Amino acid sequence: MSADIFARVQGILDAIQSEKIENVTELEAFRIKYVGSKNEIKSLFGEIKNVENDRKKEFGQLLNDVKQAAEEKYEALKTTLEEASGNNSGSDIDLTSPCEPMPSGSRHPVSIVLNRIISIFERIGFTVAEEREIEDDWHNFTAMNTPEDHPARDMQDTFYLKDSTTELLRTHTSSVQARIMTAQKPPIRIIAPGRVYRNETISSRSHCQFHQVEGLYIDKGVSFADMKQTLLYFAREMYGEQTNIRLRPSFFPFTEPSAEMDVYWGLNNEDDYRITKGTGWLEILGCGMVDPNVLINCGIDPNEYSGFAFGMGIERQAMLQFKITDIRQLFENDTRFLKQFSGVI
Ligand code: DAH
């Protein structure tokens, strides 16, 4: 009897030692058979009572050896298989711990507003025209019907390039009108976003660089009513469906008649009184019918074609929409300021 049982245990030990394990499924079967809570070796401990007294100790020792051999083989195989599959869950790296937070970027408020404006006009068939920031006198002023003695040409307002009286940093995106009209035939329907420069003292309200969006529409029979309707559409898309606009007579050398457009902002709180100077209205853009002289300067026959143009500043609209009180914040690239726009598109 005793010899039998010794042989059985020895058989199990041999089986454990010779077992070939190549994958996790086989390893799991091995674990259940020899290491798990209902393993074969455990049941043999119950056989000790059937072993002759003088061999009980020897038997117990043998069972312990088998148990230990099974556990050691299991642990060794587990490590080998995990390393082979690149699974490091047994190592110090905790794959379930949360990752390092990745700071997400944000769009610049000027870009946010610019993109909104572009998308509104693109929906009604305007295409984006981008042009140079270093311009010449002709495209920036002369073609735009701004006579030689106009105050806007004064050295105080315009940055001329070093040693040049004709090369300058464009003072408005209206120069793109001249670029496009001299290069393309009507119909023309463009918006021109971009940076402009003026030799102004930097303060909380003005800067020597800022952004504008220019609009130009030239075709046969374009009227002031077309302009008004286009700008009303823009205002409602930008500031809400119920937004009202008003056009006030104004003057620009390159448009005749000229107007400035206000949107009704409202007078709901103290801030509204301050930013609208108590009127409830905010000036958003300048506009008008393209002056026939501008068309002639650019080689377009004013008897055949007419058109409207408009120009608006971006910073001011960004400041209104995001309640920014100092324009300089838009140029400082302070991440504490910029990260407030994270997620805004
Ligand atoms: N260029 C003007 C400015 O910088 C804005 C402007 C007014 C543009 C009327 C236009 C326009 O196209 O028609 O203040």
Side-chain angles (χ1 to χ4, degrees):
M1 171 66 215
S2 198
D4 252 18
I5 197 93
F6 270 87
R8 243 178 88 195
V9 177
Q10 189 58 52
I12 293 173
L13 183 59
D14 293 346
I16 288 169
Q17 278 161 353
S18 61
E19 192 107 33
K20 290 258 173 300
I21 283 160
E22 260 142 31
N23 55 46
V24 278
T25 321
E26 288 169 8
L27 181 67
E28 181 59 4
F30 179 90
R31 188 190 66 79
I32 292 167
K33 203 165 171 195
Y34 301 114
V35 187
S37 57
K38 287 182 188 150
N39 70 64
E40 263 181 43
I41 308 157
K42 245 185 194 171
S43 62
L44 290 166
F45 279 92
E47 300 283 340
I48 294 183
K49 61 179 184 301
N50 302 324
V51 176
E52 294 92 333
N53 279 344
D54 59 344
R55 297 198 71 189
K56 272 195 183 10
K57 194 176 167 200
E58 188 191 342
F59 185 71
Q61 187 65 54
L62 181 61
L63 279 181
N64 276 332
D65 289 348
V66 176
K67 185 170 173 264
Q68 201 179 341
E71 282 168 4
E72 278 172 7
K73 180 157 180 164
Y74 172 72
E75 286 304 327
L77 284 165
K78 193 173 157 216
T79 313
T80 320
L81 285 175
E82 275 171 1
E83 275 168 10
S85 71
N87 174 357
N88 283 321
S89 62
S91 76
D92 290 347
I93 301 167
D94 178 2
L95 294 179
T96 62
S97 70
C99 58
E100 285 286 315
M102 271 260 269
S104 64
S106 53
R107 277 194 216 288
H108 193 281
V110 168
S111 300
I112 295 167
V113 170
L114 199 55
N115 289 345
R116 285 182 192 164
I117 296 171
I118 291 172
S119 126
I120 292 169
F121 282 105
E122 274 181 345
R123 273 178 257 152
I124 50 169
F126 284 77
T127 53
V128 172
E130 278 180 310
E131 266 297 340
R132 63 207 74 190
E133 290 175 21
I134 295 177
E135 255 307 349
D136 55 48
D137 197 279
W138 191 82
H139 290 88
N140 197 81
F141 293 127
T142 312
M144 300 314 289
N145 201 30
T146 307
E148 294 268 334
D149 52 2
H150 194 279
R153 288 190 168 213
D154 198 292
M155 291 294 278
Q156 279 181 4
D157 295 322
T158 308
F159 287 116
Y160 283 88
L161 296 204
K162 200 164 180 270
D163 303 328
S164 176
T165 48
T166 52
E167 280 187 306
L168 47 87
L169 296 178
R170 66 179 179 192
T171 58
H172 53 184
T173 44
S174 301
S175 58
V176 184
Q177 290 191 33
R179 287 272 163 205
I180 297 293
M181 283 193 278
T182 49
Q184 290 176 23
K185 296 221 165 322
I188 292 168
R189 200 162 14 170
I190 56 111
I191 48 167
R195 207 170 290 143
V196 301
Y197 304 85
R198 286 183 201 175
N199 195 356
E200 278 184 29
T201 311
I202 298 172
S203 72
S204 65
R205 296 172 59 90
S206 65
H207 210 284
C208 59
Q209 55 168 336
F210 52 99
H211 296 77
Q212 290 187 330
V213 174
E214 192 79 9
L216 178 67
Y217 185 17
I218 309 279
D219 204 348
K220 287 181 176 147
V222 177
S223 68
F224 196 90
D226 294 325
M227 179 182 85
K228 188 179 164 195
Q229 217 47 40
T230 305
L231 295 177
L232 177 63
Y233 159 80
F234 163 71
R236 294 197 162 162
E237 290 294 303
M238 192 74 182
Y239 290 98
E241 262 173 64
Q242 307 300 324
T243 304
N244 285 322
I245 61 164
R246 71 176 184 190
L247 292 170
R248 280 179 293 102
S250 184
F251 173 80
F252 299 102
F254 28 89
T255 42
E256 183 58 38
S258 302
E260 277 170 309
M261 186 180 91
D262 299 343
V263 296
Y264 191 71
W265 183 257
L267 282 175
N268 299 315
N269 53 43
E270 232 180 278
D271 274 350
D272 293 347
Y273 273 85
R274 187 176 47 79
I275 59 180
T276 68
K277 299 196 180 88
T279 65
W281 292 93
L282 276 181
E283 186 212 315
I284 294 296
L285 55 83
C287 58
M289 300 307 290
V290 177
D291 192 301
N293 285 338
V294 174
L295 295 175
I296 292 167
N297 290 343
C298 298
I300 292 174
D301 182 357
N303 296 317
E304 201 180 344
Y305 292 104
S306 60
F308 64 79
F310 56 88
M312 59 181 113
I314 309 304
E315 276 75 5
R316 189 168 135 79
Q317 295 190 66
M319 289 169 77
L320 288 168
Q321 294 206 355
F322 299 120
K323 297 193 165 35
I324 298 164
T325 49
D326 191 325
I327 193 172
R328 289 168 291 200
Q329 289 187 301
L330 295 170
F331 296 99
E332 279 163 1
N333 284 336
D334 184 334
T335 51
R336 289 168 305 178
F337 169 73
L338 293 174
K339 74 181 174 198
Q340 296 176 81
F341 301 94
S342 169
V344 185
I345 49 166

